[in-house]
Amino acid sequence: EMDEDGAREAGKEQVVLMWGYLPGVSPQRSPLLGPVPVRLPPAAAGDAWRDVCGGGCGFAMAISESGKLLTWGSTDDMGQSYVTAGKHEETPEAFPLPSDVAIARADAGWAHCVAITDEGVVYTWGWKECVPTGRVIADQASVGTLEKDERQSAIANNQDNKGNSIAVSPRSQVSRTSSGAASGPSESRGTEESTKRRRLSPAKQGNDSSTSGDENLSAPPCVVTFNTGVKITAVAAGGRHTLALSDFGQVWGWGYGGEGQLGLGSRIRTVSSPHPIPCIESTSYGKDRLSAMKGNKNAEGQINKVTGNRVTAIACGGRHSVVVTDSGALLAFGWGLYGQCGQGNTDDVLSPTCVSAILGVKMQDVAAGLWHTVSISADGDVYSFGGNQFGQLGIGSDQAETIPKLVDAPSLENKNARSVSCGARHSAIITDEG
């Protein structure tokens, strides 16, 4: 990006700032109430910050110039599956991936991580149900072994962590904690769906975290295998699901799909290898209208004009997914209880479906939190919908919205949004002026 290169030419070193809840960093686990600089570890002498990429439940992630994935912020007693996802305590440390691997982008869910290399190879690790059964590349005895079974270990960890924010300067890019990652599945307690979920007893977790009860629920890093020739350019981690975007604009998904967040047309609970998600072919304003148009060449052309030919941006919420196409259409699928799929109702959406209320507006980017979605248009306007218990929609109320609302706060007057990010229950944008 221009501002990034300009900053480098001027000899300015990038600074990473953190605030919010990072238990391994703050004394007595109190949240950091304002931005605090993050120090590069001594082992990274000569390296520099390149980008931030969010974090999961109480841990943070960033990428260095040399392509190392640096993690920090969690604590030993958070359970092995959380520690697996990121190095604990306050000093960032390179996550143990093969030494010749240069990471370009990464994201984290509740307790799993996904990263892509410069070459478009995808690595993932953490909660076992989020990791495809694939080739294990790291031998981390403390993490447990990658078992071939695909148990539906629908884990819920009763932690209510506060969302954390990480920002990098001078590059004006908000960290994409798109999954609303800093929040466990217990958020949905009280909903009928969550009462059916089997819970993991936290009582097993003793002082020695390496032998804690959820050790065998974690998988070490593995390479995710796609069809020959597929190069991945973007990844997004939801609460317990993952999306990947190829250079041809095809979306792939795997992990937990019980609310439709994998867009495969059903409530499939466990998808243990990457599946192509039919974002363009099957998308419509509604299935009835699509079937009525089938065979009508003009009508089919109209559909393509609306939904586009390829996906250009992806984001995962806690239990829902959103994508933007090259025509600027916004498609959503998954959990709909708070209206986070933008369909004007609170139903789950099992296949990629156009957010038709804003079809006339060309969207450019999107982010998703635990219960909400925020998108920005090519003109720099901000639209938000879904859960709003904490004001995360930015519309001046705390009422949920089931269709997109234009965010017209006075602070945004005459300003254009350029990038957007959602934590579990808060949102952030950066304007084109940084």
Side-chain angles (χ1 to χ4, degrees):
E1 295 196 5
M2 265 168 52
D3 56 348
E4 180 187 2
D5 298 336
R8 282 203 196 123
E9 282 162 27
K12 285 186 199 160
E13 184 130 332
Q14 306 225 76
V15 179
V16 168
L17 303 167
M18 61 178 169
W19 62 98
Y21 179 70
L22 283 165
V25 173
S26 29
Q28 284 87 49
R29 306 231 173 149
S30 52
L32 303 170
L33 299 180
V36 176
V38 184
R39 291 196 189 135
L40 268 173
D47 210 345
W49 297 111
R50 182 164 86 196
D51 199 3
V52 287
C53 41
C57 286
F59 66 90
M61 301 196 305
I63 298 172
S64 77
E65 280 293 353
S66 68
K68 295 279 180 266
L69 182 68
L70 301 167
T71 63
W72 72 97
S74 98
T75 57
D76 270 334
D77 60 1
M78 290 181 74
Q80 184 67 30
S81 57
Y82 288 84
V83 178
T84 302
K87 168 72 172 70
H88 47 276
E89 307 311 335
E90 61 189 314
T91 307
E93 190 168 291
F95 192 83
L97 292 168
S99 55
D100 56 345
V101 163
I103 297 300
R105 300 172 79 171
D107 198 15
W110 287 325
H112 79 286
C113 300
V114 58
I116 44 176
T117 69
D118 289 339
E119 278 86 45
V121 176
V122 177
Y123 289 83
T124 187
W125 61 94
W127 261 357
K128 202 170 272 185
E129 63 178 341
C130 305
V131 175
T133 35
R135 187 160 60 88
V136 177
I137 58 94
D139 177 29
Q140 290 173 287
S142 64
V143 170
T145 55
L146 182 62
E147 292 169 8
K148 280 287 190 288
D149 67 8
E150 285 148 31
R151 288 172 305 142
Q152 297 163 357
S153 53
I155 310 147
N157 200 319
N158 292 324
Q159 285 173 315
D160 182 10
N161 294 342
K162 298 177 181 69
N164 52 16
S165 289
I166 312 169
V168 64
S169 157
R171 180 180 180 185
S172 304
Q173 164 85 30
V174 180
S175 144
R176 302 187 63 90
T177 35
S178 54
S179 59
S183 178
S186 61
E187 289 295 348
S188 63
R189 263 176 297 181
T191 67
E192 184 193 353
E193 186 271 334
S194 72
T195 55
K196 297 179 206 157
R197 199 172 292 291
R198 284 184 288 132
R199 293 195 178 277
L200 170 79
S201 164
K204 286 187 195 160
Q205 293 168 18
N207 290 337
D208 179 6
S209 72
S210 64
T211 57
S212 71
D214 50 4
E215 171 192 314
N216 65 343
L217 302 173
S218 292
C222 76
V223 174
V224 183
T225 49
F226 295 86
N227 295 354
T228 312
V230 172
K231 182 183 178 187
I232 299 301
T233 57
V235 285
R240 294 188 289 151
H241 69 292
T242 307
L243 296 187
L245 177 65
S246 79
D247 53 354
F248 285 107
Q250 167 69 55
V251 181
W252 301 75
W254 64 92
Y256 180 81
E259 291 85 34
Q261 56 266 60
L262 294 178
L264 299 174
S266 68
R267 296 181 180 275
I268 184 159
R269 287 180 66 84
T270 304
V271 173
S272 57
S273 61
H275 272 54
I277 299 174
C279 289
I280 301 298
E281 312 87 288
S282 72
T283 302
S284 67
Y285 330 93
K287 288 202 179 95
D288 303 342
R289 186 160 171 195
L290 182 64
S291 54
M293 289 173 157
K294 273 282 189 283
N296 176 337
K297 283 274 168 16
N298 291 344
E300 285 178 19
Q302 284 298 111
I303 287 180
N304 281 354
K305 204 184 272 181
V306 170
T307 59
N309 298 304
R310 58 196 299 273
V311 170
T312 56
I314 56 175
C316 292
R319 298 166 189 260
H320 71 292
S321 306
V322 270
V323 307
V324 177
T325 73
D326 57 351
S327 69
L330 186 66
L331 317 177
F333 42 103
W335 199 34
L337 184 66
Y338 296 95
Q340 61 265 54
C341 290
Q343 303 299 316
N345 57 44
T346 55
D347 299 337
D348 291 352
V349 178
L350 304 184
S351 298
T353 302
C354 224
V355 181
S356 51
I358 46 173
L359 257 183
V361 183
K362 187 172 167 62
M363 289 298 154
Q364 188 165 299
D365 200 8
V366 67
L370 191 59
W371 305 302
H372 73 295
T373 307
V374 183
S375 67
I376 53 179
S377 73
D379 294 333
D381 287 328
V382 183
Y383 293 82
S384 61
F385 48 99
N388 196 22
Q389 302 90 323
F390 305 91
Q392 61 263 52
L393 298 186
I395 54 176
S397 77
D398 59 3
Q399 298 302 301
E401 297 290 345
T402 60
I403 60 169
K405 279 272 191 278
L406 178 67
V407 180
D408 58 357
S411 59
L412 290 178
E413 206 171 333
N414 302 320
K415 293 201 167 51
N416 294 319
R418 191 183 74 182
S419 62
V420 58
S421 174
C422 294
R425 317 171 198 66
H426 72 295
S427 309
I429 58 168
I430 285 179
T431 69
D432 56 5
E433 294 167 333

